[in-house]
């Protein structure tokens, strides 16, 4: 049964914005981000409030870059890593935009784009905004240890980024076009180590990419870029292996946002993780390359680890979920 | 700007199923539910596992009542109250269905129906399943106090139900038709009491119902039933007042699932709350009445309190979000 849907009306990303923390700004994508915060607290008294302010900043920025006002946006689709996705919900309250909350852990950027594109493609709404993000200090203390503990980081660990990104979708205006979405399954290979997210997510990425090629009859060379979300170094290697076992060679067009997010000397072990990774790379580097025509067609595959302290404490393993979105340079109908 | 969308192809609820705990089964809707558990643990060693088993039971039941197999379902749209919506995600893993996780607290049944109906209406997918639920013992200990503490319940409190419901949507088959959805805003009147959910949610319900009537030009008498999710006694009274202030008299067709869910002697103060309330009442009582033609047109408005312990501990108030779904008896095109 097909998991891939087509958007015949080709909803466009008519505005996009990325905001990151100082460490993230020093990485290889630094020059592409719209805004680099001077410090992670962003002038707020809690990191949760800083994360929320980042969301508002990203959303406002994307709307402005689309040449629109907040009142022109029909619906906000957003999610984040915090319990009850409070960054998204409180931002929706403060911005007074009708709201759908989504939770797909770090696959959330794909989820918001898939649902948003469906609504715009069906001409139900004119303009929707899709947003997600993460903050190192809120995620670490919720999912792992108190920051003050100063735990040593293990070789398989990844650095949860402080970053957010937002995209305005519309049928009117100019920008990269969303032409397909492949909805992924929840896949679990029995990983129980909360410091090995790459291994927990790679099987779901392999599943959805394999399904995407089966559903569409396409192959990796049909894409200028196949990019996963935040598998990191180890997870990306596992993905390549898993797909080779299924007869798919990803080849040189494959990369992972998390693996490329920091330089080697930034000391982040396997790389970056968090909703903000794929959200900020999409809404800066990838959209800019598509707008310039340097990429014609991209397979964007944010990857989520459905990690929960409650489930882990009750002995569960950590499943992953990933969704794949096809984004093409504008004007190629 | 309109917040209401129309589904011209009229996706149908071709299968629906409800499962509840023993206390819930003794309430006024008892005879309508498909399955009443003998005890809340459902044979599992943790309440979280019991909640997950309820989800699987509801989903399997709805698919069976639609005359389909699990393999016929293209997508599962689900959410719940637990952090990282683990009941939904682990059920999606175990059932091996492509999955979108949603979070709208107790408004989730509306969210899943709205997104699911959009996908089916657009002929992107043939059959999707929408599900949500809640469990008294998992929700109480996550959001309020340890169960062992035996806290006294205050007069404004509501009883989180142990219940789940699922609906299969399709363009093929017979059943009530989903014809519109009005997407709500996050509304906050400054409630900080975690034992007064009705007051926290009522303003968002008033907002979306008011918008629905404005967008569509309809009035309360155009509906045989206008039913909110889990406002409870106090919340429902506040809603009626808020709408009267806006010139809308809901009249005798209005009721609230949470207010009607238990009898007076079941000692639940203001009534029932939780995602399971509207999910189980829709997928039993309401669908059955629509199928019999006793209702022609229903406005179904699940209500969510976006409560978070982190946000509350940091001094935030509790905002609400509600969405409205129009469901009509089948065969009335």
């Amino acid at each position: 049964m097909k998991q891939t849907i087509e958007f015949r009306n080709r909803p466009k990303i008519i505005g996009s914005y990325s905001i990151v923390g100082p460490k993230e700004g020093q990485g290889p994508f630094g020059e592409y981000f719209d805004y680099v915060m001077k410090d992670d607290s962003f002038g707020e008294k809690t990191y949760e409030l800083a994360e929320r302010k980042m969301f508002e900043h990203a959303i406002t920025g994307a709307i402005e870059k689309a040449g629109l006002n907040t009142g022109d946006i029909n619906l906000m689709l957003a999610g984040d890593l915090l319990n009850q996705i409070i960054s998204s919900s409180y931002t929706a309250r403060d911005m007074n935009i009708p709201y759908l909350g989504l939770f797909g852990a770090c696959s959330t950027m794909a989820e918001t784009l898939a649902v948003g594109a469906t609504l715009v493609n069906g001409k139900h709404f004119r303009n929707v905004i899709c947003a997600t993000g993460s903050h190192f200090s809120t995620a670490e203390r919720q999912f792992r240890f108190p920051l003050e503990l100063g735990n040593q980081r293990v070789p398989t660990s990844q650095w949860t980024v402080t970053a957010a990104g937002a995209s305005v979708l519309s049928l009117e205006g100019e920008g990269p076009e969303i032409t397909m979405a492949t909805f992924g399954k929840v896949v679990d290979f029995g990983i129980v180590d909360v410091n090995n997210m790459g291994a927990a997510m790679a099987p779901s990425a392999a599943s959805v990419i394999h399904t995407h090629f089966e559903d569409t009859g396409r192959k990796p060379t049909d894409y200028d870029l196949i990019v996963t979300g935040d598998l990191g170094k180890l997870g990306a290697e596992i993905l390549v292996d898993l797909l080779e076992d299924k007869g798919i060679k990803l080849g040189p067009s494959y990369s992972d946002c998390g693996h490329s997010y920091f330089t080697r000397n930034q000391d982040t072990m396997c790389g970056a993780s968090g909703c903000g990774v794929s959200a900020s790379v999409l809404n800066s580097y990838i959209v800019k390359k598509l707008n310039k025509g340097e990429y014609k067609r991209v397979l964007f595959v944010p990857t989520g680890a459905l990690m929960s302290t409650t489930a882990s404490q009750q002995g569960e393993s950590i499943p992953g979920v990933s969704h794949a979105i096809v984004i093409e340079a504008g004007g190629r109908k």
Side-chain angles (χ1 to χ4, degrees), chain A:
Chain A
M1 176 158 307
K2 290 208 180 206
Q3 294 169 224
T4 304
I5 69 174
E6 260 189 275
F7 303 115
R8 300 267 163 95
N9 294 321
R10 304 172 82 94
K12 302 185 195 95
I13 301 176
I14 62 163
S16 58
Y17 196 92
S18 55
I19 173 172
V20 302
K23 182 184 177 90
E24 291 73 13
Q26 287 157 17
F29 295 111
E31 60 181 303
Y32 293 93
F33 297 131
D34 291 290
Y35 190 91
V36 179
M37 291 149 59
K38 287 203 189 73
D39 80 287
D40 264 10
S41 71
F42 211 8
E44 296 292 323
K45 66 181 177 180
T46 71
Y47 291 121
E48 286 74 15
L49 288 174
E51 181 171 324
R52 192 196 300 180
K53 190 172 169 185
M54 277 167 49
F55 268 66
E56 198 160 326
H57 199 99
I59 289 169
T60 309
I63 295 172
E64 202 173 295
K65 282 175 71 180
L68 299 173
N69 298 308
T70 307
D72 298 322
I73 304 296
N74 301 86
L75 187 69
M76 167 177 163
L77 302 112
D80 56 85
L81 291 177
L82 298 187
N83 296 340
Q84 292 81 50
I85 56 169
I86 49 175
S87 303
S88 304
S89 301
Y90 282 96
T91 301
R93 176 193 69 179
D94 295 347
M95 300 201 68
N96 197 32
I97 307 175
Y99 167 66
L100 279 188
L102 297 139
F103 181 78
C106 305
S107 72
T108 300
M109 194 70 226
E111 236 193 303
T112 62
L113 290 174
V115 177
T118 305
L119 285 159
V120 169
N121 184 71
K123 302 184 182 178
H124 294 298
F125 287 126
R126 184 177 292 215
N127 308 307
V128 304
I129 189 148
C130 303
T132 189
S134 50
H135 193 295
F136 175 82
S137 301
T138 64
E140 286 300 309
R141 68 185 181 186
Q142 178 180 282
F143 286 113
R144 296 186 183 87
F145 296 104
L147 299 167
E148 295 79 359
L149 206 57
N151 269 56
Q152 274 192 299
R153 301 174 63 78
V154 300
T156 55
S157 69
Q158 294 173 242
W159 187 273
T160 308
V161 300
T162 298
S167 314
V168 179
L169 307 188
S170 183
L171 297 184
E172 289 155 49
E174 296 299 321
E177 299 170 350
I178 298 179
T179 56
M180 287 183 183
T182 305
F183 292 81
K185 291 182 178 182
V186 176
V187 184
D188 193 332
F189 269 26
I191 304 293
V192 293
D193 179 359
V194 297
N195 288 307
N196 193 356
M197 293 294 94
M201 295 185 283
S204 72
S207 164
V208 79
I209 291 172
H210 178 237
T211 300
H212 177 78
F213 290 135
E214 278 206 331
D215 282 357
T216 60
R218 289 184 183 169
K219 49 193 185 311
T221 49
D222 290 325
Y223 291 94
D224 302 310
L225 175 70
I226 298 169
V227 63
T228 45
D230 56 348
L231 296 180
K233 183 175 185 299
L234 178 60
E237 286 169 8
I238 295 172
L239 171 68
V240 168
D241 281 355
L242 287 171
L243 285 174
E244 277 192 8
D245 287 349
K246 295 183 182 188
I248 295 170
K249 268 194 183 300
L250 282 180
S253 64
Y254 171 64
S255 70
D256 176 72
C257 299
H259 187 200
S260 322
Y261 209 86
F262 292 112
T263 58
R264 224 183 136 75
N265 62 16
Q266 283 186 289
D267 199 22
T268 57
M269 304 300 180
C270 270
S273 69
C275 299
V277 176
S278 58
S280 62
V281 175
L282 172 71
N283 289 294
S284 61
Y285 182 84
I286 298 174
V287 161
K288 283 171 188 172
K289 293 273 182 188
L290 282 160
N291 277 335
K292 281 186 188 163
E294 292 177 30
Y295 292 142
K296 300 291 185 210
R297 191 193 271 164
V298 172
L299 188 64
F300 175 63
V301 192
T303 46
L306 298 167
M307 179 168 48
S308 144
T309 51
T310 304
S312 289
Q313 282 160 7
Q314 294 186 359
E316 262 296 354
S317 50
I318 304 165
V321 67
S322 308
H323 307 288
I325 310 288
V326 179
I327 312 176
E328 306 189 31
R332 299 179 66 232
K333 290 197 193 188

